[in-house]
Amino acid sequence: MSSPLVVIAGVGRGTGTAIALKFASKYPVVCLARNADNYNETVGKVNASGGKAIGIRTDLASADSVKGAFNQIEKEFGVGYGLAAAVFNASTRPVRKPFLELTEAEYVGGYEVLGRGAFLFSQFTLPRLLKSVAQSSSSSSSSSSSSYPPTLIFTGATASVKSSAQFASFSNGKWALRSLSQSLAKEFGPKGVHVSHAIIDGVIGIPSTLDSMKEADPATMIAPEAIASAYWYLHTQPRSAFSWEIDIRPFCESW
Amino acid sequence: MSSPLVVIAGVGRGTGTAIALKFASKYPVVCLARNADNYNETVGKVNASGGKAIGIRTDLASADSVKGAFNQIEKEFGVGYGLAAAVFNASTRPVRKPFLELTEAEYVGGYEVLGRGAFLFSQFTLPRLLKSVAQSSSSSSSSSSSSYPPTLIFTGATASVKSSAQFASFSNGKWALRSLSQSLAKEFGPKGVHVSHAIIDGVIGIPSTLDSMKEADPATMIAPEAIASAYWYLHTQPRSAFSWEIDIRPFCESW
Amino acid sequence: MSSPLVVIAGVGRGTGTAIALKFASKYPVVCLARNADNYNETVGKVNASGGKAIGIRTDLASADSVKGAFNQIEKEFGVGYGLAAAVFNASTRPVRKPFLELTEAEYVGGYEVLGRGAFLFSQFTLPRLLKSVAQSSSSSSSSSSSSYPPTLIFTGATASVKSSAQFASFSNGKWALRSLSQSLAKEFGPKGVHVSHAIIDGVIGIPSTLDSMKEADPATMIAPEAIASAYWYLHTQPRSAFSWEIDIRPFCESW
Amino acid sequence: MSSPLVVIAGVGRGTGTAIALKFASKYPVVCLARNADNYNETVGKVNASGGKAIGIRTDLASADSVKGAFNQIEKEFGVGYGLAAAVFNASTRPVRKPFLELTEAEYVGGYEVLGRGAFLFSQFTLPRLLKSVAQSSSSSSSSSSSSYPPTLIFTGATASVKSSAQFASFSNGKWALRSLSQSLAKEFGPKGVHVSHAIIDGVIGIPSTLDSMKEADPATMIAPEAIASAYWYLHTQPRSAFSWEIDIRPFCESW
């Protein structure tokens, strides 16, 4: 029986990569992203260091594309695989615009990945997370099952709890995502799957941000590795103590 | 110059009707609903009693349909009309289902009216609400302008702030709607438009509910007229004291 | 049988006075304040205009003082009086200080009125509010009973929901007050008493503020009369539609 | 230069003990409790296993008692000690009573430890936590300074965010405590001290609870060790990613 996997949706060059590297130290990792450039280096690094990773180009807002991705996972790892963790780290680029200048496509665009995409990702991962719960119960001593409760984590933002002027498009998707995470936490917690939501409240120090904000001090930003550590901690929480929500911000953040 | 109008989206036989009757005592009222049966009686009652009301069949989730409705308003009331109030009372029927039995259409269906529809309604009403602000300022003594700040009200529910197990579809739309109302309140409040969100936390005593819950005591339900009074009060709030959010529940509700 | 009364705690020259004048149009009003100068003018004005008002010097943080005040009400209005409404508008002056410079007395001082005082006020008013519920039920056609559900309203502030740096003293009392209002709403709502909490989020345009902020535009402040209108609206809500919480801010407030 | 210490207020036989044992693996630990029986066993266990712990009988609601405790710490560890972490785990026994049966002493009693006590504890620990920040900066390679940001953690409960009927006494203290933690997080985060608040939402499986709820399944309760692990994780968060709040509940909890 194979080891349970970890699937990460939204592996860009910042947070997603850090999460992939963190979880790859224990599990085979599948990286989903629209652009293979985003995960190729990470996948190579994991495989070179003795871990196992694959990347699959996926449009999370498309049911066909998501289905295709999970078919490919099955081909790669066999039909019986379970999931130790699934991380929904995908997002949309925040649109900042006076409301009356927003097009319908821009507004509902905020929902495509964060609403529809999160639904599709949850639909495909929850049965595999539940499978891991069953495996843990039936053979808790087996090396093939994770010793931590299967975990589904969603990445949120400041905009998940505050809806600012001119950010209606971004926040409507982020609020929808947070509501999904809460409903799933309540439905699947009792079934043994730990569902969490992280409010990332601050600028993340990813390469593209550091390039574009040259005058900013990286020490005032959230390190992607610190988010990965937080997700790993959430994953290690025992059934006895699940956290649904955690906020994460730099020490100097004003809030 | 004509009197400012009130447009109400989602005029069913309960809350929407009560709101229409309340606002019709001062303003001409336009009732939007997918089914003309829902507003015909109300429209007739208002017109018979000396008020002015029209109904327009509208699919709020369709840009073309919403555009058509506002074209028709313009034909009826002239191109220069302003809005005294706009009420988004539309919703979707809550789907209660184990998450893994939800179809993609059912899930995103929760967003079609509450996300896309609320966006479209706001896009078409905000310029007319802003027009009323301008009219109030330029001719505050004129009988043609409303004496109350133009108001945009959204109807929310318990599911707007709590996302229960098996209600992911409904709550994801309701949370998205609430986030829209907050962003708009912050952007348009300073421009003089009062944007509010009402959390209706309890069973509303509308005819269909009373029929289906025969054993329930109507005295334990929210009277639609009481919601209409709350919306009217919000409308009458001066610029000096806008409320963004109000919760409404029966005295006996457990919360 | 006498008309039910209204008791207002914390009648300063701004909000409390506006509330007293508003409620005095229908009910005899009792004004409590530490300093008689704060209510003398208001009491005089009400009595001169045909209404009925009295003022009682009261230290809300002292059980003896509060007990004395309610004894005096009984002497004035008879032992059988009921309350139509009770408004807890008392507060403490916000202390803004680096936390490590706060004395113990300053910190717990934030609780004396908002914690202890609110408890004492609620203890003495709730039995009289319940009495009015009973009177309304037994003789709903009687002119002696209020036609609106007996109401207990607490005045909150921005600091009731956000706890800012250097405001720990003020916010700890305000949060304690808000928690009291929620617990009481849940316990006494089903008994027919409407308990509400208002978040006043902005500068109130009271005389002392207007004097000290001469450069500020009064149009950007909350008018005390608008708060009084909001409280009156809450008081008129029927059993079918109680609001626990309402936020109130000027249209131009940044939040 | 001595190692930084950890001070834990409220070391009962459940959570406080688990926290003490967890932090004792890296730091000398000081246990404060009103009753020495609560910490004697823990202190003995730590010292026997090569760690270092002392216990001090302390009434957290008394300034003199708290001052005495910190004097004793100074005698024991020298005037120059810094703190790696301070944990406020003290609470009061929840009083469940109809509001009108509560005495003033019972109501404000909910504030004595959670309001006054938390203030006193924070006043005495924050200067020592700041001292550790300074030591970390000046000699980050020194073995005498903690490698993790100094941390101040407060234990909250369900009652910290919900104020239920008949629990006004308990929740008023818990809300006050939460507001303190937020204000301190905002003031001292930028100074390098990590301030957190944990919402413990469920029954904790401590010996006395297990005895009194014999029919309950311990697997449905929060293990004290899991809370200790959460606090330890919070302590290890780098400056780049501080969490203010985390909720903790058993997988099967209904919420």
Side-chain angles (χ1 to χ4, degrees), chain C residues 18-35:
Chain C
I19 298 167
L21 292 174
K22 184 80 183 181
F23 282 78
S25 67
K26 186 172 161 72
Y27 306 108
V29 166
V30 178
C31 301
L32 311 183
R34 227 171 340 197
N35 186 342

Side-chain angles (χ1 to χ4, degrees), chain B residues 182 185-186 189-190 221-223 226 230 233 238-251 255, chain C residues 182 185-186 189-190 221-223 226 230 233 238-251 255:
Chain B
Q182 190 180 85
K186 291 177 180 175
M221 299 178 188
I222 306 177
Y233 166 68
R239 275 178 171 233
S240 154
F242 282 172
S243 294
W244 166 54
E245 192 158 70
I246 191 172
D247 55 346
I248 293 173
R249 62 179 63 79
F251 74 105
W255 56 291
Chain C
Q182 190 179 86
K186 291 177 180 175
M221 298 178 187
I222 306 177
Y233 165 68
R239 274 178 172 235
S240 155
F242 281 171
S243 294
W244 167 54
E245 192 158 70
I246 191 172
D247 54 348
I248 293 174
R249 64 179 62 79
F251 74 105
W255 56 291

Side-chain angles (χ1 to χ4, degrees), chain C residues 25-231:
Chain C
S25 67
K26 186 172 161 72
Y27 306 108
V29 166
V30 178
C31 301
L32 311 183
R34 227 171 340 197
N35 186 342
D37 291 346
N38 283 338
Y39 55 66
N40 277 338
E41 197 181 316
T42 304
V43 165
K45 202 185 290 184
V46 168
N47 290 320
S49 66
K52 167 80 179 159
I54 65 167
I56 304 172
R57 286 180 56 180
T58 315
D59 174 3
L60 288 158
S62 154
D64 285 345
S65 180
V66 175
K67 189 177 182 182
F70 281 87
N71 282 342
Q72 198 170 326
I73 296 174
E74 214 170 272
K75 273 184 210 152
E76 191 82 26
F77 295 96
V79 295
Y81 77 91
L83 287 177
V87 179
F88 186 84
N89 185 57
S91 193
T92 43
R93 188 176 297 275
V95 177
R96 178 180 190 164
K97 259 195 188 178
F99 179 74
L100 292 175
E101 294 176 17
L102 277 177
T103 64
E104 180 184 357
E106 283 171 331
Y107 186 77
V108 303
Y111 181 80
E112 278 305 300
V113 168
L114 297 168
R116 186 189 306 271
F119 169 80
L120 293 169
F121 184 75
S122 302
Q123 284 276 324
F124 279 93
T125 55
L126 276 163
R128 298 294 181 166
L129 291 159
L130 289 169
K131 189 181 188 77
S132 286
V133 175
Q135 288 175 348
S136 302
S137 309
S138 65
S139 62
S140 61
S141 60
S142 159
S143 65
S144 72
S145 67
S146 164
S147 54
Y148 303 124
T151 314
L152 173 57
I153 303 178
F154 295 90
T155 299
T158 314
S160 304
V161 287
K162 285 186 198 168
S163 188
S164 299
Q166 305 203 3
F167 279 100
S169 167
F170 189 53
S171 65
N172 99 89
K174 283 291 189 186
W175 287 45
L177 181 73
R178 186 171 178 242
S179 84
L180 175 66
S181 79
Q182 190 179 86
S183 179
L184 295 180
K186 291 177 180 175
E187 182 175 348
F188 291 93
K191 298 181 199 295
V193 177
H194 179 189
V195 182
S196 284
H197 180 258
I199 300 168
I200 311 299
D201 184 24
V203 174
I204 306 178
I206 58 175
S208 59
T209 304
L210 293 171
D211 282 354
S212 67
M213 302 172 66
K214 284 207 161 61
E215 70 293 354
D217 180 0
T220 65
M221 298 178 187
I222 306 177
E225 295 74 21
I227 298 175
S229 293
Y231 287 16

Side-chain angles (χ1 to χ4, degrees), chain B residues 154-167:
Chain B
F154 295 89
T155 299
T158 316
S160 304
V161 287
K162 285 185 198 168
S163 187
S164 299
Q166 305 203 4
F167 278 101

Side-chain angles (χ1 to χ4, degrees), chain D residues 66-91:
Chain D
V66 175
K67 189 176 181 181
F70 282 86
N71 282 343
Q72 198 170 329
I73 296 174
E74 214 171 272
K75 273 185 211 149
E76 191 81 28
F77 295 96
V79 293
Y81 76 92
L83 286 178
V87 178
F88 187 83
N89 185 58
S91 193

